[in-house]
Amino acid sequence: MSAVSSSLDAMGMEQYLLAFLFLFTYAFALSDFTGARGRLYAVLAALASAIAFAARTDPWENGVLVVAFALVAMGLFSAVVWGTWVLLERRAAPARIVTLRHAPEWSAPAQSGHAPLPLLAPAVAVPGRSGADARLRDPRG
């Protein structure tokens, strides 16, 4: 353990950057934030930065141990966060979900004769089109 500690003391700026890059890309590789293609790139970047970090550490075995410690530490952190979330979660019971057979009276057209907006109405105009062309037409007619 003292050999790993001395290797950590001797780390330079590029090793710190490689370690940060590894932790950053490993977190993205585990998440669904970037989608399948982004996850693949994150896995490749994490693998490349872990290999480069271990290669820049003297001796390289200590670099491999530091990467392994980082993986275990991230796993423990994730487990603690998940356990805390489970303990503190307050979920609504499924029995509270109510389905409506008929539309409520507040959804009826106003007195002025205008119908309510369709569910698929866009919130912003389409760039490059005038306002009339940018509106989504109701598919029901």
Side-chain angles (χ1 to χ4, degrees), residues 9-96:
D9 290 338
M11 281 177 48
M13 179 59 79
E14 55 193 25
Q15 286 175 308
Y16 283 117
L17 291 175
L18 287 169
F20 177 74
L21 181 66
F22 169 71
L23 291 174
F24 183 75
T25 55
Y26 182 66
F28 271 100
L30 294 179
S31 71
D32 288 333
F33 185 71
T34 56
R37 178 184 276 180
R39 205 172 324 149
L40 175 66
Y41 291 143
V43 167
L44 294 175
L47 185 63
S49 60
I51 291 171
F53 176 82
R56 299 288 304 160
T57 306
D58 185 39
W60 67 268
E61 292 92 352
N62 292 344
V64 171
L65 285 174
V66 169
V67 169
F69 288 147
L71 291 174
V72 170
M74 272 188 107
L76 289 175
F77 175 75
S78 299
V80 167
V81 169
W82 180 80
T84 305
W85 174 72
V86 167
L87 288 175
L88 300 177
E89 180 185 33
R90 291 189 175 99
R91 218 185 252 185
R96 293 184 184 174

Side-chain angles (χ1 to χ4, degrees), residues 97-108:
I97 298 174
V98 178
T99 57
L100 300 173
R101 292 182 183 220
H102 304 288
E105 58 189 53
W106 50 262
S107 69

